[in-house]
Amino acid sequence: MSENADKTIQQLVKEWLELDQNEATRQEIKDLSDKKDYDELEKRLRTRIAFGTAGLRSSMQAGFAHLNPLTIIQASQGLASYLLASIPQTVTPSPKLSVIIGHDHRHNSSQFAKLTATAFILKGIKVYFLEDLVHTPLVPFGLNLLGANAGVMITASHNPARDNGYKVYWGNGCQIIPPVDAGIAAAISENLIPLEGAWDTSVLDKAVGLVENVKGRVEEAYFEKVKGLVDGMAVEGAGKVGFVYTPMHGVGLEAAKQVVKILGVEEDFVVVEEQAKPDPDFPTVKFPNPEEKGALDLAMAAADKHGITIVLANDPDADRFAAAEKVNGKWQILTGNQLGVLFASHMVSTSSLPASKVALLSSAVSTQMLAAMGQIDGFHHEETLTGFKWLGNVAQQITSKGTHKAIYAFEEAIGYMFSDVVHDKDGIAALSVFVTMLKKWLSEGTTPAGKLQELYEKYGFFESCNGYVVSPSPDVTRQVFDGIRRLGDESGKKFPGSLGGREINYWRDLTEGYDSATINGIPVLPVDRSSQMITVGMDGVRFTIRGSGTEPKIKYYVEAKASGKEEASAAAKEVADAIVREWFKPEVHGLIVS
């Protein structure tokens, strides 16, 4: 934000010390000021942490640019004020508005959750408090269950240990989308001075009628929903289903225990002891993300020790899900796309509705295999922008029209949504469905790898090559994309004619607002001029390039379809190399190739 632009660094230090009543973070800024470390003070105080469609996420340090007790209070006061201003209060019972608040095990998560709750109480808004550690999907689930107007989850998902986050859900149980995010951001900037009592979290024990501890109630209802999801998929006589599970030092284990109890596979369940307990320092992994290289090594070692060939994992807040299988003596980690189509096939085949009545969704950077499956099997497929804020909201819109029921959605970053439980990614629901699929495959004499082969033989082989380059600045990222667009001038089209010797036959630019496949050239998906995103189609290959919203990266997602795995892999790699070499031009723009 720009409200600090005209202030001296001394003024910003004075403002911080006047507002912050937390001893530790006050001292951080005071020490930096005493040392006259103006470079660090500029980084901490000049720019305010930005509120976006993911809420807030940053490292935990003192300063307006980071997550700390003061910025948590400011965000909560802004969100509370926005709720009071934007929701007609005549339609809800007294107390007029309510929110649900949860937190994970990260450093300061409990404190941040209590400060958040206090801010809402001081505004007269009822708080449904998930009073102990919970996995993230319990917040949107509980929001719908209790009829709350908004939800906040304190988590940074699979970020490094130094980070935390403030994730916001709206009254429909989905993550917020524009223009709500901008409205909340504006309200935060108007509510920066902590209210009297904002630092006193003991109000949670005193505010009769404005606080209700609901973890037990919400969990019970949640697992009933999960049970209902998998009951219709039950397979008799499947035999023993052995697997190793890791919660990656997060909060997933207790929920996973409930899942194996529901499914009756408690004896088939081996836990990675070194990663079993919630630990905010994540001591055994460099990054607590199951997708990261080496993150599943301990789980694989445990599986080898017990003679087990399946490893399942959640990320620390248990909204994502990962799986690996030992095939011919080697461990293979299933990609997010591979898991996505395995879930999709199972959901369609076990649905009580005919395929023509169901809808399945995926994001623009995920595999096109789901679209191919829909064409052959007859279900409706819809593509959205990246992120479950879009997948969840669009799924609800589709279902509300009445022609189809959106039963499932996924994104390649190991996120899976089962609409009958919650309209957000849910690693625990995914775990329950995957174990059910394992039982079914076992009864059919196959495994995940075998089932994938069946799907490839039916729908075609889809192979991906994804990656990124590191950009020195947003300006450079913009220059890269503008340079790509100018290549269209050479072809006489609105877009380049070819790449790597392959002709381009489809172009969608969601920054400039152009889609070559629509009659009027206007994209069906929302246009956002503040971000960079282009999707390109060629014979047998499709890819998306985009600027990351949270990291200094330009990402590419390439997928090729062919009659064989090797052919598809080679084509995807060939196009990925051409993107970096011909379009990104690292040596020209100073980009670092990963």
Side-chain angles (χ1 to χ4, degrees):
M1 293 186 180
S2 60
E3 67 261 22
N4 293 339
D6 298 328
K7 297 175 183 176
T8 66
I9 194 62
Q10 290 82 6
Q11 287 174 319
L12 291 173
V13 169
K14 182 174 182 288
E15 181 180 337
W16 179 269
L17 295 176
E18 287 174 349
L19 293 176
D20 188 13
Q21 293 185 27
N22 179 274
E23 183 178 339
T25 48
R26 273 180 58 84
Q27 195 63 44
E28 277 187 57
I29 297 301
K30 192 173 185 304
D31 288 346
L32 290 170
S33 180
D34 291 344
K35 290 189 295 185
K36 294 183 171 53
D37 191 344
Y38 297 128
D39 287 343
E40 184 64 20
L41 287 168
E42 283 285 344
K43 293 175 186 175
R44 302 278 196 100
L45 297 174
R46 179 66 62 188
T47 304
R48 184 172 298 283
I49 184 173
F51 189 94
T53 50
L56 302 170
R57 192 172 291 186
S58 176
S59 57
M60 291 176 280
Q61 301 180 81
F64 298 121
H66 298 282
L67 269 188
N68 49 65
L70 177 58
T71 55
I72 287 287
I73 289 171
Q74 291 172 329
S76 301
Q77 290 183 168
L79 176 55
S81 295
Y82 183 80
L83 276 170
L84 288 165
S86 62
I87 296 178
Q89 293 165 55
T90 56
V91 300
T92 52
S94 181
K96 294 179 172 132
L97 296 175
S98 63
V99 298
I100 184 168
I101 298 169
H103 67 87
D104 66 7
H105 66 305
R106 284 179 178 265
H107 292 296
N108 300 312
S109 281
S110 176
Q111 179 197 23
F112 289 172
K114 290 176 181 178
L115 288 169
T116 300
T118 299
F120 285 102
I121 291 165
L122 293 176
K123 292 278 191 177
I125 296 172
K126 179 169 182 174
V127 171
Y128 293 111
F129 200 61
L130 295 163
E131 66 274 17
D132 200 356
L133 305 184
V134 296
H135 67 299
T136 290
L138 274 195
V139 169
F141 178 85
L143 192 159
N144 286 332
L145 176 72
L146 301 170
N149 300 102
V152 177
M153 177 67 188
I154 305 297
T155 180
S157 191
H158 54 262
N159 276 39
R162 68 179 182 273
D163 291 354
N164 216 325
Y166 186 98
K167 191 173 188 178
V168 179
Y169 294 86
W170 208 231
N172 62 350
C174 297
Q175 295 179 48
I176 55 173
I177 57 174
V180 172
D181 57 339
I184 296 170
I188 292 171
S189 68
E190 296 167 0
N191 289 272
L192 299 178
I193 300 174
L195 297 174
E196 183 177 352
W199 299 89
D200 182 9
T201 59
S202 68
V203 71
L204 271 71
D205 301 318
K206 305 170 186 174
V208 178
L210 279 178
V211 184
E212 187 177 342
N213 290 338
V214 296
K215 183 188 176 189
R217 177 181 169 192
V218 173
E219 279 188 331
E220 182 179 358
Y222 172 82
F223 287 110
E224 277 299 312
K225 275 286 188 181
V226 170
K227 184 176 186 299
L229 174 69
V230 296
D231 272 353
M233 307 172 182
V235 175
E236 298 298 329
K240 183 178 176 63
V241 181
F243 63 93
V244 165
Y245 170 78
T246 174
M248 203 67 64
H249 296 297
V251 298
L253 180 57
E254 292 308 311
K257 287 179 178 177
Q258 288 293 318
V259 165
V260 298
K261 184 177 180 181
I262 287 169
L263 296 173
V265 294
E266 295 101 318
E267 295 181 1
D268 305 343
F269 176 54
V270 175
V271 179
V272 181
E273 290 302 326
E274 301 94 325
Q275 298 174 335
K277 295 179 180 179
D279 188 330
D281 293 316
F282 309 109
T284 68
V285 288
K286 186 176 181 181
F287 294 103
N289 181 352
E291 289 185 292
E292 290 288 338
K293 185 176 177 60
L296 294 179
D297 285 356
L298 281 174
M300 292 172 181
D304 287 339
K305 179 180 177 182
H306 289 86
I308 294 172
T309 59
I310 298 291
V311 161
L312 307 180
N314 289 127
D315 67 339
D317 70 327
D319 66 349
R320 287 177 169 86
F321 171 80
E325 179 184 2
K326 197 166 192 179
V327 181
N328 298 326
K330 292 185 178 180
W331 281 103
Q332 296 181 8
I333 298 174
L334 295 169
T335 68
N337 282 329
Q338 289 172 335
L339 283 169
V341 297
L342 284 170
F343 280 128
S345 174
H346 185 73
M347 291 299 291
V348 173
S349 67
T350 58
S351 174
S352 60
L353 296 171
S356 60
K357 295 296 183 182
V358 301
L360 282 72
L361 294 81
S362 56
S363 68
V365 299
S366 302
T367 180
Q368 289 297 294
M369 188 170 176
L370 188 62
M373 292 166 68
Q375 290 174 356
I376 292 174
D377 294 342
F379 62 80
H380 175 71
H381 168 254
E382 195 149 329
E383 185 177 80
T384 75
L385 293 180
T386 54
F388 276 84
K389 57 184 176 284
W390 297 109
L391 290 164
N393 277 281
V394 173
Q396 287 191 354
Q397 292 166 13
I398 290 171
T399 299
S400 69
K401 292 176 183 176
T403 55
H404 298 88
K405 180 182 179 183
I407 61 172
Y408 167 75
F410 82 93
E411 189 161 61
E412 56 82 32
I414 60 171
Y416 311 98
M417 179 184 92
F418 302 88
S419 304
D420 282 347
V421 179
V422 68
H423 281 94
D424 197 24
K425 58 185 177 291
D426 185 346
I428 297 301
L431 173 66
S432 70
V433 176
F434 195 84
V435 174
T436 306
M437 294 195 303
L438 282 176
K439 294 174 74 173
K440 184 173 187 293
W441 296 332
L442 183 62
S443 72
E444 297 168 348
T446 190
T447 69
K451 187 63 180 180
L452 265 175
Q453 186 67 23
E454 290 177 24
L455 297 181
Y456 289 143
E457 289 172 359
K458 181 177 180 181
Y459 304 109
F461 286 81
F462 290 76
E463 292 294 327
S464 299
C465 185
N466 302 337
Y468 63 86
V469 295
V470 178
S471 173
S473 72
D475 284 340
V476 171
T477 297
R478 187 163 49 251
Q479 290 169 18
V480 171
F481 278 85
D482 286 346
I484 294 168
R485 294 182 181 101
R486 282 196 298 272
L487 294 173
D489 298 339
E490 303 169 9
S491 67
K493 301 178 182 179
K494 286 182 175 286
F495 53 88
S498 64
L499 172 67
R502 296 172 184 263
E503 183 181 357
I504 293 173
N505 51 37
Y506 173 68
W507 182 271
R508 182 179 66 201
D509 187 337
L510 293 179
T511 307
E512 297 293 319
Y514 175 73
D515 190 328
S516 66
T518 61
I519 295 174
N520 57 8
I522 298 175
V524 174
L525 296 183
V527 173
D528 183 357
R529 297 190 180 278
S530 68
S531 63
Q532 301 288 341
M533 185 168 179
I534 295 172
T535 298
V536 177
M538 301 179 285
D539 285 344
V541 180
R542 174 178 152 130
F543 66 85
T544 292
I545 53 175
R546 70 181 185 96
S548 172
T550 57
E551 302 169 292
K553 295 177 180 178
I554 305 175
K555 297 183 176 183
Y556 56 87
Y557 307 81
V558 185
E559 183 175 63
K561 179 187 178 182
S563 57
K565 177 181 175 67
E566 291 74 18
E567 182 185 352
S569 294
K573 178 69 164 57
E574 181 182 302
V575 172
D577 290 344
I579 291 169
V580 175
R581 181 180 64 251
E582 298 180 25
W583 281 8
F584 290 174
K585 299 178 180 177
E587 68 286 351
V588 173
H589 296 288
L591 308 175
I592 300 172
V593 180
S594 64

